[in-house]
Amino acid sequence: FRSRDIHLMRRAVVAVCLLSLCITLAIVASVRVNVVTATDFDGNNDSPYYYALATCLPTRAPFVWRPLHPALARLTGLQIDAAFLALTILWIALLGPAVYFMLRSAHVSQWHSAIGALSVYTLPWSTAYIVENPYRVDGLALLFVVLALAFAYRRQPHWFMLCLAIGVLAKEA
């Protein structure tokens, strides 16, 4: 690569990262974020189980097999609800750059990779669905599945396995 090409690649990555962050913040501002407590067990909502995991309360399968997101929320030192929301914002903001990295790893052009990375934010199940209930583990799992695919395209089995293992700790399915 020539110096000019590297400079353009860096600019594209920075642009995708900044746009991803801006879009994530816009999604957070436009979505009603639900807050739960450990007493909100109604059988139709996973969130209280993740809340319980983060606050070291007993829970049941399959939720105990998804410890990473609740453990990270607990380790932040923030109030649990704020920690879940902050981590979810981080996972969603990193999703765009991860998709860009995955597409570039598959030899997709910079332009199309940028469009693909930003288009992922139009999918409600990958953004608004997760932000409206930040206790869900899907954002972290999705991020690491995308990274695992990127490393698979690059034929880097160690990084692939690491991302896959982290993704499984986030959500076993």
Side-chain angles (χ1 to χ4, degrees), residues 77-91:
L78 298 171
Q79 191 272 339
I80 293 298
D81 299 313
F84 273 112
L85 182 59
L87 288 172
T88 297
I89 291 169
L90 178 64
W91 309 147

Side-chain angles (χ1 to χ4, degrees), residues 20-159:
S20 295
L21 180 60
C22 291
I23 292 169
T24 300
L25 294 176
I27 290 168
V28 171
S30 68
V31 171
R32 183 178 155 262
V33 176
N34 297 319
V35 177
V36 301
T37 64
T39 60
D40 290 340
F41 293 92
D42 64 3
N44 296 322
N45 189 355
D46 296 354
S47 302
Y49 298 104
Y50 301 123
Y51 184 94
L53 273 174
T55 55
C56 296
L57 295 173
T59 190
R60 64 182 175 89
F63 309 102
V64 293
W65 301 324
R66 303 170 183 165
L68 188 57
H69 186 56
L72 292 172
R74 182 172 177 78
L75 290 174
T76 63
L78 298 171
Q79 191 272 339
I80 293 298
D81 299 313
F84 273 112
L85 182 59
L87 288 172
T88 297
I89 291 169
L90 178 64
W91 309 147
I92 300 301
L94 291 174
L95 184 59
V99 169
Y100 180 84
F101 175 64
M102 178 190 69
L103 293 172
R104 291 297 292 149
S105 297
H107 307 291
V108 176
S109 73
Q110 277 186 336
W111 175 248
H112 290 108
S113 295
I115 290 171
L118 298 176
S119 295
V120 77
Y121 292 103
T122 66
L123 304 171
W125 55 264
S126 70
T127 53
Y129 169 79
I130 297 168
V131 171
E132 83 177 11
N133 197 331
Y135 306 92
R136 291 185 179 120
V137 298
D138 301 289
L140 179 60
L142 183 59
L143 175 64
F144 278 96
V145 165
V146 168
L147 289 173
L149 288 172
F151 288 119
Y153 279 124
R154 289 177 172 256
R155 291 178 166 68
Q156 295 178 334
H158 294 95
W159 288 106

